Amino acid sequence: MDPRQVRYFLAVVEHGGFGRAAAALGLAQPTVSQSVKALERELGVALFRRDSHGVVPSGAGRRFVGPARQLMHDLARLGASVGGHRRPVLQLVAGAPLATHPGAELVGSFVAEHPDVLVHIDRVPDRSAGDDDTVLARVRSGASELGLAYLSGPAVELRTVELGRHAFVLAFPPGTRLPDRRVPLSILDDGPLIGVPPGASQRRLIKAALHTRGVRPRVVVENGQRDLSAALVLAGVGAAFLPDAAAAAIAARGAVVRVIDPPLHLAYGLVHRPAPLTAIAEAFVDHVRG
């Protein structure tokens, strides 16, 4: 199997088409198309299909993405061991909330120190509610070398590097009359709440805390997008749990924000496979550890 074929295959996946992939690679489109067709013949399967959105990976293509990226990681690691000089690429997958904070800050400070690095951030779609299970699965499969996720439980078959904790606050619609102090979760009992869809670590944390205290809010909307949750709060739909990093912005727009008593915290950090990391991934881990 020619590594160039694998690299061209991944470029088509990442750029969503043969033409865009060829442009990104600086090649003619027929070169990329013929290379991928040769790879398909060698594997005996079709790796792409066409739908209303253009060229998308087939079932076999989706299954091949993880091993293909792992092969590229391994080749990069081998090249580095003998003094290769190709531009290093850092593969990072993150859920929607963490991709923004602290992901943006971490990547920004890292790139400032390593301007030659290309960072590929694979953000889990908002509809997945920042699903940490999806992040962990992509790292386990080799689809991404590093993942940024909430660490709400054991990351089976992965190593973790805790980076910090998010404290959660409660945001209420403008004009809500509340005491100017910490509020108990019981304040939500039978009140309207903007919930988080299944599969998110935040949901598991919040659900357990509410259950322990016998609090039963009325979930009126389930939504995994932090910006939309904030907009729904401001529109008067109900209260929402938000990371403390988002508290100042929504309070400035008129929401009533209160710290929860007792506090709710959720650790976050990097996850990676036990196998040796590429040099650039190791550098990123060292950088974010401080």
Side-chain angles (χ1 to χ4, degrees), residues 169-187:
V169 298
L170 275 169
F172 297 86
T176 303
R177 298 176 64 87
L178 293 171
D180 190 17
R181 53 180 171 78
R182 295 172 181 264
V183 297
L185 287 176
S186 59
I187 200 167

Side-chain angles (χ1 to χ4, degrees), residues 242-263:
L242 294 175
D244 54 357
I250 191 171
R253 298 171 65 189
V256 178
V257 178
R258 292 292 183 270
V259 175
I260 304 165
D261 185 23

Side-chain angles (χ1 to χ4, degrees), residues 30-107:
T31 300
V32 176
S33 299
Q34 291 166 12
S35 179
V36 171
K37 287 180 180 177
L39 179 61
E40 289 177 322
R41 286 194 298 270
E42 184 173 346
L43 295 174
V45 294
L47 296 173
F48 293 99
R49 61 180 177 81
R50 292 189 176 275
D51 66 8
S52 58
H53 301 290
V55 176
V56 297
S58 64
R62 290 194 300 273
R63 291 190 295 273
F64 187 58
V65 168
R69 285 181 173 160
Q70 188 58 48
L71 175 61
M72 293 295 101
H73 298 330
D74 293 341
L75 289 173
R77 190 159 50 241
L78 287 170
S81 70
V82 294
H85 300 291
R86 290 183 60 187
R87 185 181 184 189
V89 177
L90 176 68
Q91 293 278 353
L92 176 68
V93 61
L98 291 174
T100 302
H101 178 78
E105 295 94 329
L106 296 176
V107 170

Side-chain angles (χ1 to χ4, degrees), residues 6-169:
V6 179
R7 185 159 65 93
Y8 298 169
F9 160 76
L10 289 174
V12 176
V13 172
E14 291 164 4
H15 294 282
F18 288 90
R20 288 188 289 273
L25 293 166
L27 299 170
Q29 181 173 333
T31 300
V32 176
S33 299
Q34 291 166 12
S35 179
V36 171
K37 287 180 180 177
L39 179 61
E40 289 177 322
R41 286 194 298 270
E42 184 173 346
L43 295 174
V45 294
L47 296 173
F48 293 99
R49 61 180 177 81
R50 292 189 176 275
D51 66 8
S52 58
H53 301 290
V55 176
V56 297
S58 64
R62 290 194 300 273
R63 291 190 295 273
F64 187 58
V65 168
R69 285 181 173 160
Q70 188 58 48
L71 175 61
M72 293 295 101
H73 298 330
D74 293 341
L75 289 173
R77 190 159 50 241
L78 287 170
S81 70
V82 294
H85 300 291
R86 290 183 60 187
R87 185 181 184 189
V89 177
L90 176 68
Q91 293 278 353
L92 176 68
V93 61
L98 291 174
T100 302
H101 178 78
E105 295 94 329
L106 296 176
V107 170
S109 59
F110 181 71
V111 169
E113 291 187 6
H114 301 80
D116 60 322
V117 174
L118 173 63
V119 180
H120 184 276
I121 301 176
D122 183 10
R123 195 178 94 157
V124 174
D126 288 339
R127 62 178 178 275
S128 298
D131 187 348
D132 299 298
D133 293 339
T134 301
V135 172
L136 300 184
R138 292 189 184 182
V139 175
R140 285 193 192 98
S141 72
S144 188
E145 190 171 17
L146 295 174
L148 182 60
Y150 282 117
L151 308 176
S152 59
V156 180
E157 300 176 356
L158 297 175
R159 292 180 179 170
T160 62
V161 180
E162 185 173 333
L163 301 178
R165 290 174 174 264
H166 276 167
F168 288 85
V169 298

Side-chain angles (χ1 to χ4, degrees), residues 183-251:
V183 297
L185 287 176
S186 59
I187 200 167
L188 296 173
D189 204 27
D190 200 37
L193 179 68
I194 299 163
V196 179
S201 295
Q202 303 99 298
R203 179 186 175 103
R204 292 190 283 268
L205 174 75
I206 293 164
K207 185 177 180 180
L210 294 174
H211 177 75
T212 298
R213 292 160 182 79
V215 178
R216 295 185 176 182
R218 292 183 290 107
V219 176
V220 291
V221 176
E222 283 194 339
N223 158 65
Q225 301 179 45
R226 183 188 301 173
D227 290 346
L228 180 54
S229 291
L232 291 168
V233 169
L234 294 170
V237 174
F241 289 89
L242 294 175
D244 54 357
I250 191 171

